[in-house]
Amino acid sequence: MADITLEGGNFTYVNARFNGTFDGNGHTIKNLKINSDILGVGLFSCCANAKIYNLNIDNCYVYNINERTAILCGNLLSGEITNCNFNNCIVKSDIYTVGIICGIIYSSSSLISINSCTITNCLAYGTYAVGGVFGQDINPTSNTLVSISSCIVDKCTVLAQYQFSSGIGGRIHIPCSINDCTVSDSSIL
């Protein structure tokens, strides 16, 4: 795999569940642009039992008039996201559940982990449940453990027009372990 630079228009992504392994090998995806109106949008619309690691994403823009919006994964059902870096990215939704890495964590019986990720010079904007890492987590059965560790959010703006904004998770419901994370020089509004 080599670096990928996208130019000249919207990225047409597959609105499907990704359940494989994506190793970016330290390469960068640049200039990703998505404008959408579906439930769950990002480079991956939905991830289940997915492993995504060693990926850099730079200068990307994702806009959705619907919910569950992120740069990487709109819906995270289960899996691991490790050592992914986001720089100069903007993610916006006209409604809620917005995050740089994932819009919503929604699972009923899995371990979900986001580890050693860095988010720098980014903007996350929505009306409700907006986070630097993820927008909201929901677990209908309380059997899920969400682990967010060693993530850095630096020089970012996280804005929820009405309520629930945070540098890490906009709105947290389920057993969620947040360890060794840092939010610095950022505006949380």
Side-chain angles (χ1 to χ4, degrees):
M1 180 175 161
D3 290 347
I4 298 171
T5 300
L6 303 167
E7 299 289 346
N10 286 328
F11 172 71
T12 303
Y13 62 95
V14 177
N15 183 17
R17 188 177 290 194
F18 175 71
N19 62 357
T21 298
F22 186 93
D23 182 357
N25 287 316
H27 291 286
T28 302
I29 296 174
K30 291 183 180 180
N31 303 331
L32 172 70
K33 182 178 177 185
I34 298 173
N35 286 293
S36 180
D37 62 357
I38 67 163
L39 181 71
V41 67
L43 179 62
F44 299 97
S45 176
C46 179
C47 292
N49 297 318
K51 293 182 180 180
I52 302 169
Y53 51 97
N54 301 327
L55 177 64
N56 301 304
I57 299 181
D58 185 39
N59 195 37
C60 294
Y61 176 83
V62 175
Y63 170 73
N64 190 9
I65 63 171
N66 213 321
E67 64 177 285
R68 303 179 185 184
T69 307
I71 298 294
L72 186 62
C73 175
N75 299 287
L76 179 58
L77 304 181
S78 59
E80 303 170 20
I81 298 171
T82 304
N83 196 34
C84 292
N85 302 298
F86 304 83
N87 188 43
N88 298 317
C89 295
I90 297 172
V91 60
K92 297 169 75 175
S93 172
D94 285 350
I95 51 177
Y96 48 88
T97 57
V98 178
I100 298 295
I101 296 178
C102 62
I104 195 164
I105 296 171
Y106 190 94
S107 185
S108 60
S109 62
S110 301
L111 172 64
I112 295 172
S113 64
I114 300 173
N115 302 304
S116 302
C117 295
T118 301
I119 301 165
T120 308
N121 295 317
C122 293
L123 167 69
Y125 173 84
T127 58
Y128 174 94
V130 181
V133 176
F134 67 93
Q136 182 171 339
D137 63 351
I138 296 175
N139 178 9
T141 64
S142 298
N143 293 329
T144 301
L145 174 63
V146 174
S147 173
I148 313 294
S149 63
S150 303
C151 290
I152 297 169
V153 177
D154 185 43
K155 297 178 184 72
C156 295
T157 299
V158 178
L159 173 62
Q161 189 175 3
Y162 298 115
Q163 61 183 347
F164 301 118
S165 62
S166 165
I168 303 296
R171 187 166 190 203
I172 301 171
H173 290 284
I174 60 178
C176 186
S177 171
I178 299 173
N179 294 302
D180 300 319
C181 293
T182 303
V183 177
S184 61
D185 198 19
S186 296
S187 298
I188 312 299
L189 308 167

